[in-house]
Amino acid sequence: MHKKYSISGKGFISFVKDIIIWDLSGGVIYQLFLCGLVLIMMLGVYAYFLQFNSGLSVTNMSDIVSWGFYIANFTFLVGVAAAAVMLILPAYVFKDRDLHKVVIIGEVVAVGALIMCLLFILVDLGNPLKAWHLVPGIGILNWPSSLLSWDIIVLNGYLALNSFIPFYIVYSHYHNRVPDKKKYLPFVFISIFWAFAIHMVTAFLYEGLPARAFWNNPLMGPRFLASAFAAGPALISVVLGAIHSFTEFNIESRVFRKLRLIIVISAIINLVMLFSEIFKEFYTPTHHSRSAIYLFFGLDGYDALVHWIWTGISMNIIGTVILMLNPGRKNPLINLPAAVLLFFGIWIEKGMGLIIPGFIPSPLGEIVDYTPSWVEISIAFGILSFGILVVTLLVKPALIIEQQFEKQEEMATQLIHT
Amino acid sequence: MDVFKNRLKEKPFGRRAFLKRFAMAAALSSSASATGCIGLLQNDDRFQLKWKEYFKNNYRLMTPQEKEETVERLERLAQIEKHVDIQMSSKSPVDGVLFGYAFNLTRCEGFMECVTACVKENNLDRQTHTQYIRIFEMEPGGMSPETGDGKYFHEVPVDHHFYMGVQCFHCENAPCVRACPTKATWKEPDGIVVVDYDWCIGCRYCMAACPYYGRRFNWGAPKVPNNEMTQKQHYLGNRIRPKGTMEKCTFCVQRTRAGRLPACVEACPTGARVFGNLLDPDSEIRFVLKHKKVFRLKEDLATDPKFWYFVD
Ligand code: SF4
Ligand code: SF4
């Protein structure tokens, strides 16, 4: 290990100090990467400033399409957040050693995704200064009646769980202690169930609205799970690939192989369910199929989503097929572009392709198009950059500490043997 | 006895409030004359009012005293910020009243007098042309507004067409109410579904949940010229809404709780609109429900709207 990444002392203060120092030190490319993220964030902050002052009228949302790009991204990122469970489950329950080494990266990606989710909800509020009305005690949380109140609870809970577990482990390793399983394993198991909960509840948010036939579909929850368990591990593979290629940390190819398997299975299940939905909408098109017709073919000359959804589905299918054929048998990094393709395919499908058509046509049959305004796009990219920044700044120190701990352990075992 | 007790309870509050107001006014005028700087003081006053407004409770949880206070603050703020004198009420529902509405499809000729009256009465945003009521021009052969034209702009009535008005239907089993994460929208005992504009956080989940397009959102700050403003307002009704909050038809709560008809009913030149107390067996609405063949929109959703359509 490089000299500059050495642990300087004990206690919480030196822990934080070391993390900051490690985060800020790095090569030119790393620094440029951070600066780029900060620049995009600043654009986002500026756009939000405009939105805050003049209201949501600077977006392209309307009384008919009343949720747009923000909620679309929110919905998709919930999926990414829950994907950590696809590493946690094998790592802790089936005691998979390879995945255990990278499980922390999954958890950090989840933290980043959750922070982005909560920010997307916040920027979508018309009256963000009154957000405290949601806090039980000082405000009123309409639980259990409102599904949105459920969602707020499960998202925050999952964020707490996924922050606590890795923090505890890394903090113990920093002090060269073996973390006490009794203290964190119960939370690991809770977090596994919780990951399913954040999916199902977010799906129920839409599924529970008879007013919107396009969403009022019992397959919504299961499809959420399947697509997330494809998109999430796909993203984690890409992150691992980046760590493997751009840093001195080595990720074993066995990890990529296992992730590929998870992705392929989930993606196939997702496609089967998509096919079942398409069959229902188009074999006997009813009035309730008008949203789907709008999405896939356009309605009365309005077709803003048509090219999105076909691009999304093509990327989805191509990505799945490539990963199935597995050209990267020898070098798993070759599979990564396919993972990227699949990830963005699901992003389109689970984001814009799911949220917008729910509103079109309106309950009174009116059709309008929606494309995000530059303010919406800037704010969204600002939030995404912030998420990437959070993940970067958390993953880096975590990996350093983990590696140093491993080395210490190795040395200790060697000592015992000699 | 109970009445007497209540009075005893109320009285000191009333007096205290009065004294407080008196003291405030006295302090205000004396210091204003001392410094000679009314502008600054007014600003200070405004800040205090806004501060209290920001931290106030959900309307449903307020005591009658608190309701009175917030209404007063809002009146003061309208004076300071917009220079208009408004009279805001916080009148509670009347016992034994459940409001219902019926729409005569034979009579309506699509003049949209109701829309104009509603916009005026309810201080709807003139900039984005918000309207609670929509009139659909329908071709014979269907009863769903989905098949109609909601944007017609020509002389009416057109031969062989009929007209269908839609607005919030004040569902008994309202999906919008169930959806709201902060309980900022609810059904009042007299059946009106209202929004506390100051408690709403603007998440728009209720809007997604409404199967009738009954809700409107303030995407920006609503604009109503002072000389066109209806000054008799109700906290839950036609007061000017803050930016970023939800609003909707309230059956003109400011009028109907005072015993008047909603503005749309009053304005309709053909008498197509019927409004009244569903609990009163002699009301016109009960007559319609008893003697006409009525139907409601999307009955399959079990929302149980208190808005019926009928033909003569
Ligand atoms: S019509 Fe819509 S807004 Fe009105 S009460 Fe019913 S669900 Fe709520
Ligand atoms: S927009 Fe307002 S009234 Fe509607 S659900 Fe959200 S907080 Fe409730």
Side-chain angles (χ1 to χ4, degrees):
Chain A
M1 179 60 52
H2 206 279
K3 256 275 167 315
K4 69 186 172 193
Y5 295 137
S6 58
I7 288 171
S8 69
K10 280 212 179 304
F12 187 71
I13 293 175
S14 75
F15 176 70
V16 174
K17 219 168 66 194
D18 277 354
I19 285 181
I20 293 174
I21 292 170
W22 295 335
D23 272 338
L24 292 182
S25 51
V28 181
I29 296 178
Y30 175 73
Q31 304 283 0
L32 279 178
F33 172 68
L34 291 191
C35 288
L37 289 179
V38 171
L39 272 181
I40 303 174
M41 273 162 57
M42 274 158 60
L43 175 68
V45 170
Y46 170 68
Y48 187 67
F49 176 74
L50 290 182
Q51 179 186 305
F52 187 85
N53 274 334
S54 14
L56 287 165
S57 51
V58 294
T59 69
N60 279 348
M61 290 185 270
S62 63
D63 280 347
I64 290 182
V65 183
S66 50
W67 279 341
F69 202 48
Y70 300 146
I71 296 295
N73 276 297
F74 154 77
T75 310
F76 172 71
L77 286 167
V78 171
V80 175
V85 78
M86 276 298 154
L87 299 181
I88 296 175
L89 195 71
Y92 289 104
V93 180
F94 305 129
K95 311 256 173 339
D96 186 309
R97 297 226 48 191
D98 301 323
L99 292 182
H100 207 286
K101 279 184 196 145
V102 295
V103 70
I104 190 136
I105 295 170
E107 284 162 338
V108 169
V109 168
V111 169
L114 281 164
I115 290 176
M116 289 189 264
C117 284
L118 294 172
L119 283 176
F120 271 117
I121 292 198
L122 194 69
V123 298
D124 187 65
L125 291 185
N127 211 343
L129 289 180
K130 298 268 173 84
W132 60 270
H133 289 174
L134 284 167
V135 182
I138 52 171
I140 304 169
L141 190 65
N142 188 10
W143 188 86
S145 161
S146 167
L147 255 308
L148 203 55
S149 71
W150 281 81
D151 216 25
I152 291 165
I153 294 172
V154 290
L155 287 178
N156 282 299
Y158 196 61
L159 179 59
L161 284 170
N162 268 296
S163 313
F164 166 74
I165 300 167
F167 171 80
Y168 174 69
I169 294 177
V170 169
Y171 191 70
S172 307
H173 287 176
Y174 178 85
H175 289 101
N176 218 355
R177 284 195 300 260
V178 178
D180 183 359
K181 281 212 165 129
K182 263 189 241 129
K183 279 193 189 139
Y184 73 88
L185 260 192
F187 293 104
V188 170
F189 287 105
I190 296 175
S191 93
I192 291 172
F193 287 105
W194 211 284
F196 288 92
I198 71 169
H199 265 115
M200 289 312 251
V201 170
T202 307
F204 287 174
L205 200 67
Y206 306 104
E207 196 177 316
L209 300 179
R212 312 279 167 183
F214 186 69
W215 294 339
N216 191 214
N217 160 10
L219 208 50
M220 186 82 109
R223 248 200 95 194
F224 253 65
L225 285 175
S227 65
F229 290 160
L235 177 66
I236 291 172
S237 315
V238 175
V239 172
L240 291 178
I243 291 172
H244 183 81
S245 336
F246 298 122
T247 71
E248 58 250 60
F249 302 106
N250 208 20
I251 310 284
E252 287 172 67
S253 19
R254 265 179 306 176
V255 173
F256 289 102
R257 291 208 189 98
K258 283 179 179 161
L259 281 174
R260 183 194 74 91
L261 208 62
I262 294 173
I263 299 170
V264 168
I265 293 171
S266 312
I268 291 175
I269 296 177
N270 180 36
L271 285 179
V272 170
M273 290 200 249
L274 173 69
F275 179 70
S276 163
E277 276 181 353
I278 290 182
F279 169 78
K280 178 226 155 199
E281 303 281 22
F282 292 105
Y283 179 66
T284 44
T286 66
H287 270 244
H288 291 169
S289 312
R290 279 168 61 84
S291 297
I293 297 173
Y294 169 78
L295 172 64
F296 286 100
F297 304 108
L299 211 57
D300 299 354
Y302 293 92
D303 57 0
L305 287 181
V306 174
H307 53 278
W308 280 88
I309 193 67
W310 287 111
T311 321
I313 290 192
S314 318
M315 289 164 93
N316 213 327
I317 294 176
I318 297 172
T320 309
V321 171
I322 295 180
L323 286 175
M324 255 162 71
L325 298 177
N326 193 12
R329 225 165 261 127
K330 296 227 172 62
N331 178 5
L333 291 184
I334 291 176
N335 281 340
L336 287 187
V340 174
L341 213 58
L342 185 64
F343 178 80
F344 281 105
I346 295 177
W347 180 60
I348 293 173
E349 203 207 305
K350 274 266 126 346
M352 295 289 278
L354 179 75
I355 303 308
I356 314 302
F359 292 104
I360 304 169
S362 83
L364 298 179
E366 287 167 295
I367 305 169
V368 294
D369 268 339
Y370 164 84
T371 36
S373 71
W374 76 264
V375 174
E376 285 174 271
I377 295 175
S378 311
I379 293 179
F381 277 91
I383 293 177
L384 293 173
S385 313
F386 182 69
I388 296 173
L389 187 72
V390 167
V391 172
T392 313
L393 297 187
L394 290 180
V395 158
K396 196 175 178 198
L399 283 180
I400 294 169
I401 293 172
E402 289 298 284
Q403 289 230 336
Q404 301 216 342
F405 179 72
E406 240 172 63
K407 245 198 226 149
Q408 299 272 353
E409 282 225 304
E410 268 167 33
M411 266 154 59
T413 37
Q414 269 169 14
L415 264 176
I416 291 167
H417 284 287
T418 53
Chain B
M1 194 57 202
D2 264 358
V3 177
F4 182 64
K5 252 193 226 156
N6 279 343
R7 269 189 157 200
L8 264 183
K9 250 190 248 159
E10 266 166 29
K11 221 177 168 185
F13 277 115
R15 188 185 296 145
R16 198 179 303 154
F18 173 75
L19 282 178
K20 216 162 97 189
R21 235 174 294 150
F22 182 77
M24 239 165 75
L28 210 113
S29 58
S30 67
S31 50
S33 57
T35 54
C37 180
I38 295 169
L40 206 84
L41 236 156
Q42 271 184 339
N43 264 339
D44 190 43
D45 198 15
R46 179 175 158 232
F47 177 77
Q48 274 200 11
L49 290 167
K50 288 218 142 186
W51 180 262
K52 282 193 186 136
E53 275 296 288
Y54 179 74
F55 286 107
K56 74 182 174 186
N57 208 341
N58 182 313
Y59 184 76
R60 249 201 303 189
L61 300 181
M62 287 185 198
T63 62
Q65 159 93 13
E66 283 169 332
K67 285 181 185 169
E68 211 173 284
E69 279 169 9
T70 175
V71 158
E72 241 164 62
R73 282 195 298 264
L74 288 168
E75 284 175 349
R76 287 276 296 128
L77 275 171
Q79 223 161 33
I80 296 172
E81 289 180 334
K82 298 210 174 76
H83 308 290
V84 277
D85 274 313
I86 55 169
Q87 300 92 47
M88 198 181 290
S89 139
S90 57
K91 192 169 176 2
S92 359
V94 180
D95 276 344
V97 173
L98 184 69
F99 288 124
Y101 207 117
F103 186 95
N104 189 333
L105 288 166
T106 322
R107 288 229 185 136
C108 177
E109 305 204 318
F111 297 134
M112 295 214 212
E113 299 286 335
C114 50
V115 175
T116 318
C118 171
V119 169
K120 172 92 187 54
E121 166 68 27
N122 287 302
N123 293 322
L124 301 190
D125 181 22
R126 307 296 203 273
Q127 202 175 29
T128 56
H129 306 290
T130 304
Q131 54 185 69
Y132 291 161
I133 304 176
R134 306 279 312 277
I135 307 283
F136 283 79
E137 187 172 74
M138 311 276 294
E139 292 190 25
M143 274 296 184
S144 160
E146 283 169 58
T147 59
D149 171 11
K151 292 197 188 89
Y152 66 88
F153 193 76
H154 49 66
E155 202 172 303
V156 287
V158 174
D159 275 350
H160 307 300
H161 281 69
F162 68 97
Y163 296 86
M164 191 168 195
V166 290
Q167 59 200 65
C168 165
F169 293 152
H170 297 271
C171 311
E172 264 303 281
N173 180 18
C176 57
V177 168
R178 189 174 333 158
C180 178
T182 60
K183 295 199 183 178
T185 183
W186 66 89
K187 194 181 72 203
E188 286 273 288
D190 52 4
I192 306 180
V193 175
V194 293
V195 181
D196 180 347
Y197 312 120
D198 289 327
W199 194 258
C200 169
I201 57 171
C203 68
R204 310 189 294 295
Y205 193 35
C206 54
M207 206 169 202
C210 170
Y212 302 107
Y213 189 58
R215 299 185 152 246
R216 302 291 180 274
F217 190 67
N218 288 290
W219 298 95
K223 288 210 172 49
V224 183
N226 275 356
N227 55 352
E228 291 178 26
M229 193 182 295
T230 305
Q231 287 164 356
K232 276 211 172 348
Q233 302 179 356
H234 192 287
Y235 189 93
L236 297 173
N238 57 345
R239 68 185 167 107
I240 308 283
R241 295 94 192 157
K243 161 184 94 189
T245 55
M246 197 54 74
E247 63 171 292
K248 60 186 285 301
C249 159
T250 62
F251 276 165
C252 285
V253 58
Q254 66 281 357
R255 297 167 65 109
T256 46
R257 279 199 186 157
R260 300 170 66 200
L261 285 172
C264 48
V265 177
E266 210 171 84
C268 178
T270 63
R273 293 174 171 267
V274 176
F275 179 83
N277 181 3
L278 291 169
L279 301 182
D280 171 8
D282 300 325
S283 62
E284 197 185 346
I285 180 93
R286 282 286 288 271
F287 179 86
V288 168
L289 292 184
K290 193 165 168 195
H291 297 283
K292 307 282 180 184
K293 317 259 178 307
V294 298
F295 73 95
R296 297 181 287 188
L297 283 188
K298 304 194 189 182
E299 296 241 36
D300 50 333
L301 297 183
T303 47
D304 206 2
K306 291 192 287 294
F307 191 107
W308 290 266
Y309 293 95
F310 67 103
V311 284
D312 264 341

